[in-house]
Amino acid sequence: KVKDGDIIAAEFINDGDAYLAVRYTNPETGRTEYYNPEGKSLRKEFLRTPVNFTRISSRFTNKRYHPVLKKWRSHKGVDYAAKRGTPIRAAGDGKVTFKGTKGGYGRVIEIKHGSKYTTVYAHLNSYNKKIRTGRKVKQGQTIGYVGSSGLATGPHLHYEFRVNGVHRNPRTIHKQLPKAKALPSDELPRFRLADVERRARPG
């Protein structure tokens, strides 16, 4: 260990293949991410799970027995059981399109990601006070906290992922989603120069 601070770069070698990640702040967007030497982002467009959970209490299925309604119905999301008050993170960059109560969902937040994707977070105990309808959020930002509002038997996050309005399984859709955007071509020279300077530093 040298000192505490941000990880500037990391290299991982597996079966003779080297994988390099370099930390870089895009001066145009102000966003700091990790990229490979070709300037491709190593960040996924969406988090695989938006909450630290203890177990999956209900899976995505077309037929599930609802514990409150006592009848069979489809379950178009995944339920992540977690302690009440556990932070819930935005799965990706986007804009809040709904914040409020919605029937059996209880307290819910909906986020639109571009023109194609929507994520839904339901049964919240409370919201992050900074979250407002129409406000932009960044991936990983805390938007609310786990609860059991609405039709719920215990604290958990009900999470939905929609593509063009169609529900998709959040546990498998991530395999089909693109990575975050690569650096624009006009930014690559600056990125490569920063990488060269990093490599030239002693230690």
Side-chain angles (χ1 to χ4, degrees), residues 19-22 34-42 179 183 188 191 195:
Y19 301 89
L20 179 66
V22 179
Y34 289 90
Y35 299 88
N36 69 9
E38 288 72 46
K40 294 182 179 179
S41 176
L42 300 178
K179 289 186 177 180
L183 288 171
L188 286 177
F191 166 72
D195 187 30

Side-chain angles (χ1 to χ4, degrees), residues 96 99 109 128-133 137 141-143:
V96 177
K99 172 193 171 186
I109 289 176
N128 180 337
K129 295 180 179 179
K130 296 181 179 180
I131 299 300
R132 298 283 188 276
T133 299
V137 294
Q141 181 179 343
T142 297
I143 58 174

Side-chain angles (χ1 to χ4, degrees), residues 7-180:
I7 296 175
I8 304 302
E11 186 176 40
F12 172 70
I13 299 176
N14 182 39
D15 290 335
D17 294 325
Y19 301 89
L20 179 66
V22 179
R23 187 177 188 271
Y24 182 70
T25 300
N26 188 327
E28 293 184 3
T29 64
R31 183 160 194 156
T32 300
E33 295 184 33
Y34 289 90
Y35 299 88
N36 69 9
E38 288 72 46
K40 294 182 179 179
S41 176
L42 300 178
R43 177 176 67 87
K44 290 287 187 180
E45 191 73 23
F46 293 92
L47 300 177
R48 184 173 183 181
T49 55
V51 67
N52 290 326
F53 62 98
T54 56
R55 63 187 176 88
I56 296 176
S57 53
S58 290
R59 298 180 181 275
F60 185 94
T61 179
N62 289 321
K63 192 175 183 180
R64 181 194 73 146
Y65 187 74
H66 197 285
V68 177
L69 298 177
K70 306 297 182 183
K71 63 180 181 180
W72 292 93
R73 60 187 298 181
S74 61
H75 189 249
K76 299 301 185 180
V78 174
D79 289 353
Y80 295 103
K83 291 182 178 180
R84 189 180 305 277
T86 300
I88 299 167
R89 300 168 292 169
D93 295 347
K95 180 185 290 186
V96 177
T97 55
F98 182 86
K99 172 193 171 186
T101 56
K102 186 177 287 190
Y105 280 85
R107 297 183 185 91
V108 60
I109 289 176
E110 295 183 6
I111 299 175
K112 186 76 172 179
H113 311 272
S115 61
K116 190 175 182 179
Y117 306 113
T118 302
T119 53
V120 179
Y121 314 76
H123 303 309
L124 277 61
N125 184 64
S126 59
Y127 308 103
N128 180 337
K129 295 180 179 179
K130 296 181 179 180
I131 299 300
R132 298 283 188 276
T133 299
R135 179 167 293 182
K136 292 182 179 180
V137 294
K138 289 190 174 295
Q139 184 182 75
Q141 181 179 343
T142 297
I143 58 174
Y145 304 90
V146 170
S148 55
S149 59
L151 296 179
T153 56
H156 70 278
L157 169 67
H158 173 80
Y159 176 58
E160 295 181 5
F161 197 103
R162 303 172 186 171
V163 181
N164 292 324
V166 179
H167 290 84
R168 303 292 294 275
N169 187 343
R171 297 293 293 172
T172 58
I173 188 64
H174 73 279
K175 298 177 183 178
Q176 306 168 31
L177 297 175
K179 289 186 177 180

